[in-house]
Amino acid sequence: MPESGRRRQQLMDTILDVSGVRKRFPGVTALADAHLMVRAGEVHALVGENGAGKSTLVGVICGAVQPDTGRMRFLGEDYHPRSPQEAYQSGIRVVFQHLSLIPNLSVTDNLFLGREMAGALGFIRRRDMGVRARTLLEELGFAHIPASARVDTLSTSQKYLVEVAKAMLERPKLIILDEPTAALNAAETSVLFDLVASLKDAGSGVIWITHRLEELYQITDQVTVMRDGRFVESRPTASLERDEIIRLMTGRQIADSEAPDPAHIGSENRLVISDLHTAGGLKGLSMAVRAGEVVGLGGLAGSGVEEIGRALYGLHPVTRGEIELLGRPFRPRDLRPHRLARQGIFYLPGDRQSEGIVDVRPVSENATLSSLDALGRMGFLHRLNERRTVADYVQRLRVSTPSAAQPIKLLSGGNQQKVLFARGMLTEPQLFILEEPTQGVDVGSKADIYAVTRELAEAGAAVIVISTDTRELLTVCHRIIAISQGRMSREFTQGEADEEQLVSAYFGSQDSREAV
Amino acid sequence: MNTMAETRGRETGDGGGNAVLDAARIIFTKTGALLPLFVIMAIYFSVASEHFLSGRNMSTIATQSVYFTLVVIAQAIVMITGGFDLSVGAALALTSITTSSVIVAVPGAGGIVLATGAGMLTGASVGAANGLLISQFRVSPLIVTLGMASVVSGLALIITGGVPIFNLPQLFKETLYTGDLAGVPVPWLVVLLVVGIAYIALYWHRLGRNWYAVGGNPVSAHIAGVPVKRALFLAYLSAGVLVGIAGVMLTARVGSGEPNLGGTFALQSIAAAVLGGISLRGGQGSLWGAILGAIFLVLLQNGLDLVGVSSYLQMIITGALLVFAVIVDHYWHKG
Ligand SMILES: Nc1ncnc2c1ncn2[C@@H]1O[C@H](COP(=O)(O)OP(=O)(O)OP(=O)(O)O)[C@@H](O)[C@H]1O
Ligand SMILES: [Mg+2]
């Protein structure tokens, strides 16, 4: 940042000042002593391990959670919102970790939900709303999202962008983005970066919560680190090294994840697909994955990459092509989750909230849901055994929860994700299909999950990782297949590609700059 | 147990007094608004009527509870999967008719066995029909079971022409109503057995886990590999069997085949289950809560009878309680 810019920033006044906030839930102290100071025109990163209390703090700021103690000032005045409406009226917008859109309504209807444009006699002005929605999406750079489409026909990342657009109906004074990039690919992320930059120029405050630390250096000015519900440190981003941030967050050193060892790749194919077509994106994909091999799949939204896992697991219609799983040919209509799960295939859905967890049930039941057959004989459950196994995984994956009996919806997002990962490990499958396996997971646990993935492969499992996180693909995979326009555009073996080459292959071209 | 201990440590570090509140919350979330109501009611009735707490009345209540509890357990199972069953009352009536028809046709002890089988089969058939329609054709449980209630009631009335079937052999009553085994009344034994099996199915068997998961989030359950359709079918089938058992037992008690038996059972069983903490949104609530809810409603009716409240007013009270319970359910399970 140039010298004049820094001075300008120092002069800017504080818009949000949170101090000494405490919040206790039964069995958990989510916030012990939280502080946060955000200036106008500043992009402020809020980081911490899973369960550190970031989302709870967001809840307090936006009036959804009532703190036990603590003071807040917003725009120079005392501020204690008793409801999200109050926060909204003050000009604070939040884009949550969990999507809140109504699936069977259109994008337009969702954008204006509760704030419909009404004419005389309260009739809703549909046409005006449609026009406004389209211009808004265009202005934000989300023109690829059709305003009239029903939300449930959109991809997860498109849904997220609609959620962002909803917060941008009027320019917010403060906008909070809770893990915005967890489900976005590189192109979408850069659109969002542009949006944040323009908000910043317009003098809005931005709170950016993320587990992808490289983003901090790309767009944030200031970093606040939290740990165990407490404020740890707040400093200009440029003055903090990545390793130091990690140390402040976790109190431990996280070693770089080791590259997977190709020596364990077997000869037997666990998955062979040829000329796969799906209703929608895939137009003739062929590939094979061997035992002991970790294969990554990446591509842009709309390239068809997001349909591969779903198609293989029978959740998305296959229109043509051959599929061979674990050495056996499968007709499309035989691809059914129950059947595939029994044969030793585990699918981790990308949409944790609506397709992964059973939110009202305990951590333990969520963990063992796919492996109940193995828990006893003839369907009878060996519950002591279950308790031990779950406790073991809770510890191994560092799931932060007061007990395994806690309803999973009360866990932080990253911890829910770890439980789903445990669910997969418990089934001891021969083929893992993982969609966004580490979404919302903190740096330390990411390393744990990568290590476990490598162990699984070394023990003979085949693993498919479908991820928007290019770093993740480059870290864990033996081989990466870039998907473009429904087919393989390029294949890279371990160490062959860097991020730029990978993204350029997503665009189906040799030069990424040209394509962007 | 590294991380668990850490979190707990954090909590206790913040001072005591919390444990009592937590315990209270757990009791409430497990049994809904039931416990305070129970206490208020017991105190009120024992003051208002000297008979309420008498041993004889308690034994009457226990016997009365049997039939209703069986139906509430059936209701609770389907509610856990995220549905409900409005056809339990009608199924009870049809069961009563088939049971009595068989028993009139086949005399002697063999007839009783056959009739019991026929009654259970009737309940099972209604449950299977419900389950098939709901799981295979994805029709909403509301529509399916409401329609089924009408169809089944109609069947019961056609078979009998609306006239009860009288002259059931005394032996039937002596076995299944007044009979006992080692001093324990047969109806009590039956309900104990059913509770035991339901407990194992719900908490020590895959089936119950699947029911809870399907009720909690059918999409997640499906993707996790739970056979959702089969689980739903089995839930309605089991409910049907339980209603069949209740129908046979109730027929033995009233001593005739009644085409109008069980008229208010559907609404009342839902009320009892919800009062007992079974969420209308599925996936939540326990067997014990449901049983408590059943006993509560029976106690309430008994008490209201004792203090001379008319059955019309009782209808109003039950209805109001259901609505109240649903509101409480909404707030408690909101999360
Ligand atoms: N309503 C609740 N009831 C009980 N515990 C809760 C509730 N909400 C949050 N918690 C707990 O409070 C702690 C902080 O959660 P929070 O969601 O704020 O973490 P986070 O920093 O956002 O983590 P992540 O990075 O995984 O999203 C966690 O241990 C969580 O389990
Ligand atoms: Mg969070």
Side-chain angles (χ1 to χ4, degrees), chain B residues 41 44-45 48-49 51-52 57 60-61 64 253 268 297-315 317-318:
Chain B
M41 183 188 65
Y44 175 73
F45 286 136
S49 156
H51 299 298
F52 185 71
N57 191 43
T60 314
I61 287 173
Q64 272 177 359
R253 181 171 151 209
Q268 289 195 343
L297 268 200
V298 172
L299 268 177
L300 180 72
Q301 259 156 27
N302 173 278
L304 290 174
D305 283 341
L306 282 182
V307 296
V309 172
S310 79
S311 63
Y312 303 142
L313 190 54
Q314 288 193 23
M315 278 171 69
I317 294 174
T318 317

Side-chain angles (χ1 to χ4, degrees), chain A residues 49-56 58 97-98 178-179 209 211 352 411-414 440:
Chain A
E49 289 190 291
N50 294 132
K54 303 178 296 293
S55 298
T56 308
V58 171
Q97 224 168 343
H98 314 315
D178 197 348
E179 297 188 31
I209 299 178
H211 290 295
R352 168 174 70 227
L411 264 60
S412 77

Side-chain angles (χ1 to χ4, degrees), chain B residues 4-32:
Chain B
M4 285 200 199
E6 254 169 45
T7 324
R8 218 178 278 139
R10 256 210 268 162
E11 179 222 349
T12 42
D14 280 315
N18 214 1
V20 180
L21 268 177
D22 283 2
R25 203 188 126 93
I26 287 165
I27 292 171
F28 280 129
T29 41
K30 287 247 155 91
T31 60

Side-chain angles (χ1 to χ4, degrees), chain B residues 23 93 125 135-136 140 143 200 256 273 299 304 312 315-316 335:
Chain B
S125 310
S135 64
Q136 294 299 318
S140 99
I143 302 300
I200 290 170
S256 55
L299 268 177
L304 290 174
Y312 303 142
M315 278 171 69
I316 296 179

Side-chain angles (χ1 to χ4, degrees), chain A residues 22 24-32 51-52 228-230 310 313-315 336-338 341-342 347 349 352-361 364-365 368-370 372-373 375 377-384 386 390-391 394-395 398-404 409-410 423, chain B residues 1-18 21-22 25-26 30 80 199-230 279 281-286 332-335:
Chain A
R22 209 170 90 153
R24 222 159 49 181
F25 293 111
V28 196
T29 301
L31 295 174
D228 289 348
R230 283 172 206 283
R310 305 186 71 76
Y313 203 60
L315 301 171
R336 267 174 290 146
H338 172 59
R342 296 204 128 189
Y347 168 73
R352 168 174 70 227
Q353 205 59 32
S354 48
E355 303 195 330
I357 62 169
V358 181
D359 62 353
V360 294
R361 302 309 300 166
S364 56
E365 289 182 20
T368 56
L369 189 57
S370 296
L372 293 175
D373 289 339
L375 262 181
R377 241 173 288 164
M378 294 176 65
F380 290 96
L381 307 175
H382 193 319
R383 281 177 36 181
L384 183 65
E386 176 181 36
V390 171
V394 160
Q395 185 187 5
R398 290 181 236 264
V399 180
S400 155
T401 176
S403 86
K409 67 174 172 185
L410 299 181
R423 181 193 286 173
Chain B
M1 303 291 284
N2 179 2
T3 22
M4 285 200 199
E6 254 169 45
T7 324
R8 218 178 278 139
R10 256 210 268 162
E11 179 222 349
T12 42
D14 280 315
N18 214 1
L21 268 177
D22 283 2
R25 203 188 126 93
I26 287 165
K30 287 247 155 91
I80 282 169
Y199 172 69
I200 290 170
L202 278 166
Y203 302 111
W204 292 87
H205 197 273
R206 191 176 53 206
L207 194 55
R209 284 297 171 79
N210 289 346
W211 284 341
Y212 276 104
V214 168
N217 184 342
V219 179
S220 294
H222 175 64
I223 289 178
V226 172
V228 174
K229 287 180 180 177
R230 191 194 308 166
S279 171
R281 262 159 303 164
Q284 273 166 301
S286 74
W332 252 300
H333 291 299
K334 203 167 59 174

